[in-house]
């Protein structure tokens, strides 16, 4: 294990402000707001903390449920529809109602655009995007997941984001869902996204939301904590600032479904005999996952010169 001395977001020395209410789990909060797991596994120790994940299920022919879900996503994200007028009205109504239950978001940007998903698993989302005209590429560390994605005919490589050879200005969209919190330097990853995206390119970053009621209420039982493999934890203002500092314009922040979060939190409280915590003072949002939608700025972010 290693003790973290400096903050990844702002570079200042960590002053030792422990986050309260996390039991024996040691999270330090920098004055800039970033929350850091410290001590944390050193890079050569990290693998042993990940449970073995083996993907063995090849995708089957789409079921009715998966076809409905794929169509709701397409309507939610504004893709061209082939249904008649009545069908379009009904699907749009359904998508605006049910669509908020899932956080997935990949807006339509026209055909033939290049998409990179970092940490794409078996490539289910990439396949959905490919069917809707994206030219898709993925990176994934699980050997079995890469094998399945390749069998689907997807270009998915078993490489880290740091090690992959990705030319500058080569993608129109990058998805990083539940990835940034696992990295030693989220700041460098965001800067790399900025380099490899084309002008006006889209960045979609989803992470657990530390400033949420469920985190306050569940403390170290919070299911998104994933101690110690989540190395960083983000409040909304911190992540927005990091994304902007990397050269992006934040377009919007989407939050996970409040009602589903509440149901899940209550189930966790019951499981750990913590139902009394339901009276925890409301703090943060009820949603505990956030998705930042950002565009590569046309003008690079200007920073003041150090004094
Ligand atoms: Zn900081």
């Amino acid at each position: 294990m290693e003790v973290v001395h400096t903050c990844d977001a702002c570079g200042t020395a960590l002053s030792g402000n422990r986050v309260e209410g996390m039991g024996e789990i040691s999270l330090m909060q920098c004055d800039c707001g970033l929350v850091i797991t410290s001590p944390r596994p050193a890079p050569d120790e990290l693998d042993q903390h990940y449970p073995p994940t083996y993907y063995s299920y090849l995708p089957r022919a789409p079921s009715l449920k998966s076809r409905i879900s794929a169509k709701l996503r397409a309507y939610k994200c504004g893709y061209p529809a082939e249904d008649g007028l009545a069908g379009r009205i009904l699907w749009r109504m359904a998508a605006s109602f049910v669509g908020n239950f899932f956080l997935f978001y990949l807006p339509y940007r026209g055909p033939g655009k290049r998409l990179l998903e970092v940490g794409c698993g078996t490539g289910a989302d990439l396949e959905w995007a490919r069917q809707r005209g994206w030219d898709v590429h993925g990176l994934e560390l699980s050997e079995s997941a890469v094998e399945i994605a390749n069998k689907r005919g997807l270009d998915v490589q078993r490489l880290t984001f740091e090690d992959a050879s990705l030319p500058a200005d080569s993608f129109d969209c990058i998805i990083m869902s539940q990835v940034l919190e696992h990295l030693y330097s989220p700041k460098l990853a965001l800067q790399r996204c900025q380099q490899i995206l084309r002008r006006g390119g889209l960045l979609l970053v989803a992470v657990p939301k530390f400033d949420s009621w469920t985190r306050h209420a569940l403390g170290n039982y919070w299911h998104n904590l994933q101690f110690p493999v989540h190395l960083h934890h983000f409040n909304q203002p911190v992540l927005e600032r990091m994304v902007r500092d990397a050269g992006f314009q934040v377009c919007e922040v989407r939050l996970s479904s409040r009602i589903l979060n509440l149901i899940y939190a209550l189930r966790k409280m019951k499981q750990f005999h913590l139902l009394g915590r339901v009276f925890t003072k409301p703090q943060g949002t009820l949603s505990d996952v956030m998705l930042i939608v950002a565009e590569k700025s046309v003008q690079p972010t200007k920073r003041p010169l150090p004094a």
Side-chain angles (χ1 to χ4, degrees):
M1 299 290 269
E2 62 179 24
V3 174
V4 185
H5 297 289
T6 53
C7 167
D8 181 64
C10 69
T12 58
L14 279 179
S15 54
N17 301 320
R18 281 194 79 209
V19 179
E20 289 178 14
M22 308 308 293
E24 64 281 7
I25 290 176
S26 186
L27 302 182
M28 314 302 277
Q29 183 152 30
C30 178
D31 292 337
C32 77
L34 186 67
V35 175
I36 298 156
T37 301
S38 177
R40 68 185 177 191
D44 60 347
E45 298 167 325
L46 197 58
D47 275 355
Q48 72 198 53
H49 292 279
Y50 278 94
T53 307
Y54 185 74
Y55 298 88
S56 59
Y57 296 103
L58 273 172
R60 297 192 209 132
S63 63
L64 177 64
K65 191 175 149 200
S66 68
R67 287 205 304 271
I68 289 173
S69 157
K71 198 150 177 162
L72 285 170
R73 284 177 167 203
Y75 272 92
K76 175 183 171 178
C77 299
Y79 285 77
E82 292 168 359
D83 301 288
L85 180 64
R88 287 205 299 273
I89 292 169
L90 284 172
W91 277 108
R92 273 194 198 120
M93 281 168 59
S96 65
F97 178 68
V98 191
N100 292 328
F101 284 111
F102 48 86
L103 198 58
F104 175 88
Y105 185 65
L106 173 61
Y108 181 61
R109 306 284 271 193
K113 301 285 184 179
R114 279 170 58 84
L115 167 68
L116 172 69
E117 183 173 12
V118 181
C120 63
T122 58
D125 289 344
L126 286 181
E127 176 138 26
W128 180 93
R130 178 172 65 176
Q131 288 167 0
R132 280 151 193 89
W134 287 89
D135 170 15
V136 302
H137 306 269
L139 300 173
E140 168 58 45
L141 292 179
S142 157
E143 191 177 359
S144 56
V146 172
E147 203 175 300
I148 291 172
N150 291 158
K151 280 184 184 158
R152 283 175 138 149
L154 295 166
D155 169 34
V156 172
Q157 299 185 66
R158 191 171 176 227
L159 287 171
T160 63
F161 189 40
E162 294 86 356
D163 292 342
S165 166
L166 302 161
D169 304 313
S170 57
F171 286 95
D172 299 287
C173 180
I174 298 175
I175 299 177
M176 291 183 105
S177 182
Q178 318 282 349
V179 168
L180 215 57
E181 64 274 25
H182 293 262
L183 303 181
Y184 283 91
S185 180
K187 180 180 176 175
L188 284 180
L190 292 170
Q191 287 173 348
R192 180 126 206 256
C193 289
Q194 207 272 355
Q195 286 163 1
I196 63 178
L197 276 171
R198 291 173 177 154
R199 183 189 272 210
L202 197 62
L203 175 68
L204 303 165
V205 180
V207 296
K209 190 171 187 295
F210 200 74
D211 47 339
S212 60
W213 177 81
T214 49
R215 198 273 300 171
H216 282 285
L218 286 165
N220 59 341
Y221 292 95
W222 188 42
H223 40 278
N224 281 317
L225 203 59
Q226 307 263 322
F227 185 82
V229 294
H230 282 187
L231 307 179
H232 291 92
H233 312 267
F234 304 91
N235 294 315
Q236 185 178 332
V238 174
L239 185 57
E240 284 193 49
R241 196 168 58 238
M242 289 178 77
V243 169
R244 278 198 301 271
D245 284 352
F248 290 92
Q249 181 190 345
V250 175
C251 305
E252 61 175 315
V253 181
R254 292 173 165 251
L255 302 180
S256 53
S257 161
R258 282 173 293 183
I259 186 72
L260 293 187
N261 277 136
L262 182 61
I263 292 169
Y264 198 78
L266 290 173
R267 281 176 52 196
K268 283 281 156 193
M269 286 174 192
K270 188 160 179 260
Q271 180 187 348
F272 295 110
H273 309 288
L274 302 167
L275 273 172
R277 294 196 184 181
V278 77
F279 299 108
T280 301
K281 187 172 81 174
Q283 295 177 72
T285 53
L286 203 46
S287 307
D288 67 2
V289 180
M290 59 182 158
L291 167 68
I292 291 203
V293 181
E295 269 186 10
K296 177 168 170 171
S297 298
V298 177
Q299 296 289 331
T301 311
K302 290 203 174 77
R303 292 156 196 263
L305 291 169

